[in-house]
Amino acid sequence: MATRVGVITFPGSLDDRDAQRAVRIAGAEPVALWHGSHDLEGVDALILPGGFSYGDYLRCGAIASLSPIMTEVVAAANSGMPVLGICNGFQMLTEAHLLEGGLIRNDHGSFICRDQVLRVENTDTSWTRDFEAGENITIPLKNGEGGFIASDETLDRLEGEGRVVFRYVDVNPNGSLRDIAGISNERGNVVGLMPHPEHAVEPGFGPDTDVAMRSGVDGLAFFTSVIERTLASV
Amino acid sequence: MTTTPSTPTVPVLDTVENAAATPEKEQPYAALGLKPDEYQSIRDILGRRPTSGELAMYSVMWSEHCSYKSSKNYLRQFGQKVSPAMKKNLMVGMGENAGVVDVGEGWAVTFKIESHNHPSYIEPFQGAATGVGGIVRDIISMGARPVAVMDALRFGAIDHPDTARVVHGVVSGISFYGNCLGLPNIGGETWFDSVYQANPLVNALAVGVLRHEDLHLANARGVGNKVVLFGARTGGDGIGGASILASDTFAEGGPTKRPAVQVGDPFAEKVLIECCLELYRGELVEGIQDLGAAGISCATSELASNGDGGMHITLDNVLLRDPSLNAEEILMSESQERMMAVVHPDKLEGFLAVTSKWDVETSVLGEVTDTGRLIIEWQGGVIVDVDPRTVAVDGPVYDRPVAYPTWIDALQADSASALPRSSDGPALRAQLLQLMGSANLADASWITSQYDKYVLGNTALSYPDDAGMVRVDEESGLGFSVATDANGRYCQLDPRQGARLALAEAYRNVAASGAVPVAISDCLNFGSPENPEVMWQFSEAVTGLADGCLELEIPVTGGNVSFYNQTGDVPIHPTPVVAVLGVIDDVARRIPSGWQDEGHNIYLLGTTREELDGSAWADVVHGHLGGLPPQVDLAGEKRLGELLRAAAVEGLIDSAHDLSDGGLGVALSESVLRFGLGARVWLGDIIERDGIDAATALFSESAGRVIVTVPREDDVKFRGLCDGRDYPVLRIGVTDAELGALEVQDAFSVSIDELRTTNRAPLADAFGPVVGY
């Protein structure tokens, strides 16, 4: 049976259907979940997609982190289910205290959309095992509030425990401390990042590469990694 | 003089009864933007004075912005100059919220471009944001899912102190609203010219896709069907936006018009989109209309006019953001993110279940009748009782005076051919860099990097390619392509020819992307229609455009007119922005605007004439505007389009870039910059064949030209294709990965780094750095 990956739609979610497509392209079955429900429908893994849930009112991800389904998301994450938060989903995970730190307005003050190079620093998480350690990947970044912040102590701990999963390379696009683009929880099943792997999974619709226009598919390994992870745990 | 102590008066509700009883009451029609004779017509229609509510409705609906009273006589040409071929794929033409075109495989595409100019000068952020919101609601109301936006922008001089205020506001407004809606921004255009200093243009375009069976129209049919208002609450923003703001010129020192600007909430609109799509899927809606200009006045009168002719509503049922609003304000408010639906009584419960799922507030205002009257009650009295067609359809129509501009002969006589031209390599190099470093040809990434181009995962082409392209069907790869163009300088020299050139360029851009052009939407931006010379420009431009569409055999499916783009007596250059929609069988065959492969041959399609009048070269190098714009051969453009398509289908070309502003020199530079791969080019053959000099070869803006690259193995086939279609073709160069430069043989060489640095400087210097540049 194919791995079933739930993608939760909140009011204002934007990249939910893109995350579903990415799951499908990777060979798993996407399951559309609604924020107002308390039912995870027996999925094997969860994605909190990008967007502007609740219009980013109050703080990005703050209201969504209190949605009904988040009770089940927190319980599932604590019991080891793989959870990926992309952009607004990352913001929700920090608001829900599943991940540490927080995301603030980009240091330059504007929304920025660009093809971003990241270094994969930890391949032991549920979402990164199909990468090579230290590998550089290019995936789209698009956000207005992507500056990662945490106390020095937290940053030291995250780095010391290998929980900085992705770092920005060449350009830090939003003022994130220590160039941090994505982190994980202690167990490595919960990962959040600002860039969008689901927009680099299909030739023709991803970032430009040296070989051909829009042919970048570096994001696909996120989704194949979780399939392996869930199959391995059966 | 003594004053008598005033006794508190209870305001009398201005009902129809009251209006009939008090015919002499003074009414503030002039302050609402109505002329004395228009006010008299309203009295004649009603056989009494209008109530204050009716006056509010007529004033906004008879405004230039809503009624097209000065342009109607001319716009008829778009409906008259049509051939059967133009109607073949047209599902919905002009007059509805947006046109709809059959693109095959059971899919349809709807698109429209609309202006939000005046609000964007007063309050750039909200003005531009709500411009996006408004056009997207037009697309939703056709039953479509919005899938892309674009914008055509005109600002004042890049170095003017006020320009940065407008640019920052407009760009962040579009970015804020479009990104938050989850719609990719796939392109557009930006110009800077002092003629737009106090009249910037913000033309927003949206595209939606739908299955044929999902088409919805704005009409209120079925007596007893419920009239439902849903979405955001009605507030005091945008009151009179259409009449006192969009239908008037700006005067120095006048009162601030900021309260007439609407305020947008993209989150509310995003939820509204998903809510509407779920309502359509559940077949819960009979007719639907978005609320934009003129708010409830427009939605009720238009829905009733297009349906069974009558409607009876109770205005007290409108959910208010501000409970102190009076009836006139509620009727005129342009609060955003609202829709009005006509719902069968049996389906009302299902309808309310969907709106409640999405937390969208909903209220039933009344129902459809067949009385031929639009009746509105408020606080127990009837405050509106009108024939809706007199409000929405049969408004005033003006045959405004038209005058040939006194200045135009002298302008046309002042040709750029008298300007000095150099054939000296270093001078040509310097001029090319001057062009590449000018505001209008500069890299626009400062703007486009603030827009999400990836969301929805179907963007096949976007800035800086010639057209934006989006996949419609994930299985087949079916997609559409859109480009917008307008050159105000050409239109100032000759509005008829300028409009045809805008059409030709947008058509060529779509063809260069590999798609077949199928439909047009236009946004006609002009000065005051009360100026006879502006009306002449308008008349010329519309005629040129309508004739051009007939020649190309593609229909105009909708758009809008924006008059009064002038400050004091000085109108903007006529700026008819033309958006062309194309269809492509499989987006996998799209063509980018630059080359990525080494050793491919570069071909120039088309002939170069000495056409430097109105050019970017004349502007940037000499500060000159005069003469006559380039010739247009639309039959030739059509052949060129067919040639490009055939070449794309056979996989013979791997890049295509249209030649327009800045000519061949700029096109080559842009193609080099697209993927950072150099080229060696020679001008000798062009100079010899076309009998021109080197500067003309590099900078002339002759229409009907495209550069393409062809892999060596396809050379013979490609030339055969051109010869077979009798289109002029010359091999002018070869791509070169080692060179790191654009080298024009026997003239000059410019490194890619220098081209890039020069090209990126203008916007970064004026507005701030771009991340990673």
Side-chain angles (χ1 to χ4, degrees), chain A residues 172-185:
Chain A
N172 181 334
N174 44 32
S176 290
L177 296 178
R178 304 193 193 177
D179 299 333
I180 292 174
I183 57 171
S184 75
N185 65 351

Side-chain angles (χ1 to χ4, degrees), chain B residues 161-501:
Chain B
D162 189 49
T163 300
R165 171 189 75 92
V166 180
V167 169
H168 276 276
V170 165
V171 172
S172 52
I174 293 170
S175 161
F176 162 73
Y177 208 102
N179 293 342
C180 196
L181 283 187
L183 296 178
N185 191 308
I186 57 171
E189 28 150 20
T190 310
W191 281 66
F192 299 91
D193 191 312
S194 57
V195 298
Y196 304 108
Q197 198 63 56
N199 292 96
L201 305 183
V202 174
N203 292 182
L205 177 144
V207 195
V209 300
L210 64 157
R211 300 295 298 171
H212 286 185
E213 60 272 20
D214 291 337
L215 182 65
H216 279 72
L217 296 177
N219 58 49
R221 287 189 212 285
V223 173
N225 281 347
K226 300 296 176 190
V227 177
V228 183
L229 183 66
F230 62 114
R233 287 185 169 228
T234 299
D237 56 327
I239 289 177
S243 49
I244 58 181
L245 191 53
S247 302
D248 201 359
T249 56
F250 291 133
E252 298 282 338
T256 173
K257 292 182 174 181
R258 193 162 297 162
V261 180
Q262 313 88 331
V263 176
D265 175 359
F267 171 62
E269 179 129 324
K270 167 64 182 171
V271 172
L272 199 57
I273 294 174
E274 300 302 331
C275 177
C276 284
L277 292 170
E278 193 164 334
L279 289 170
Y280 300 149
R281 277 197 299 275
E283 298 183 353
L284 297 168
V285 173
E286 307 300 315
I288 189 154
Q289 164 87 308
D290 69 300
L291 274 73
I296 293 176
S297 295
C298 179
T300 53
S301 60
E302 285 194 353
L303 279 168
S305 297
N306 296 339
D308 289 347
M311 188 184 280
H312 191 130
I313 68 165
T314 304
L315 210 55
D316 309 78
N317 293 352
V318 174
L319 299 173
L320 300 177
R321 196 182 298 160
D322 170 1
S324 72
L325 291 183
N326 62 35
E328 296 76 34
E329 290 166 328
I330 297 169
L331 285 169
M332 292 170 78
S333 163
E334 296 185 1
S335 286
Q336 299 289 292
E337 295 93 24
R338 298 180 297 163
M339 303 285 280
M340 187 173 280
V342 175
V343 182
H344 192 278
D346 294 346
K347 293 185 173 173
L348 188 60
E349 201 181 322
F351 185 99
L352 294 173
V354 172
T355 53
S356 131
K357 172 189 166 185
W358 288 98
D359 291 327
V360 169
E361 289 194 300
T362 310
S363 64
V364 178
L365 299 191
E367 57 185 46
V368 176
T369 68
D370 57 2
T371 59
R373 306 298 290 179
L374 169 61
I375 292 172
I376 299 179
E377 288 187 45
W378 170 250
Q379 294 178 356
V382 172
I383 58 159
V384 172
D385 181 353
V386 297
D387 173 351
R389 294 188 60 84
T390 64
V391 179
V393 184
D394 303 323
V397 178
Y398 290 142
D399 200 6
R400 302 255 192 212
V402 169
Y404 184 76
T406 52
W407 43 265
I408 203 161
D409 286 340
L411 185 69
Q412 290 181 344
D414 177 24
S415 169
S417 59
L419 301 172
R421 293 201 295 274
S422 177
S423 286
D424 162 57
L428 292 172
R429 182 183 191 280
Q431 292 184 353
L432 176 61
L433 285 170
Q434 233 181 312
L435 283 165
M436 290 300 286
S438 66
N440 292 335
L441 294 168
D443 183 313
S445 298
W446 184 86
I447 295 170
T448 56
S449 69
Q450 297 187 44
Y451 303 151
D452 184 349
K453 63 181 179 185
Y454 280 108
V455 68
L456 300 183
N458 289 314
T459 308
L461 291 174
S462 62
Y463 179 84
D465 289 314
D466 285 4
M469 186 181 286
V470 170
R471 175 175 62 177
V472 170
D473 188 300
E474 290 194 29
E475 296 296 315
S476 68
L478 175 73
F480 66 79
S481 160
V482 196
T484 67
D485 283 294
N487 184 322
R489 286 166 52 82
Y490 289 165
C491 293
Q492 182 74 358
L493 299 179
D494 179 346
R496 182 183 296 229
Q497 188 77 337
R500 288 165 64 83
L501 280 158

Side-chain angles (χ1 to χ4, degrees), chain B residues 600-623:
Chain B
H600 288 196
N601 284 324
I602 303 171
Y603 284 92
L604 172 64
L605 293 162
T607 308
T608 308
R609 289 174 291 269
E610 192 195 306
E611 295 184 310
L612 291 159
D613 292 353
S615 67
W617 175 83
D619 181 30
V620 172
V621 177
H622 297 283

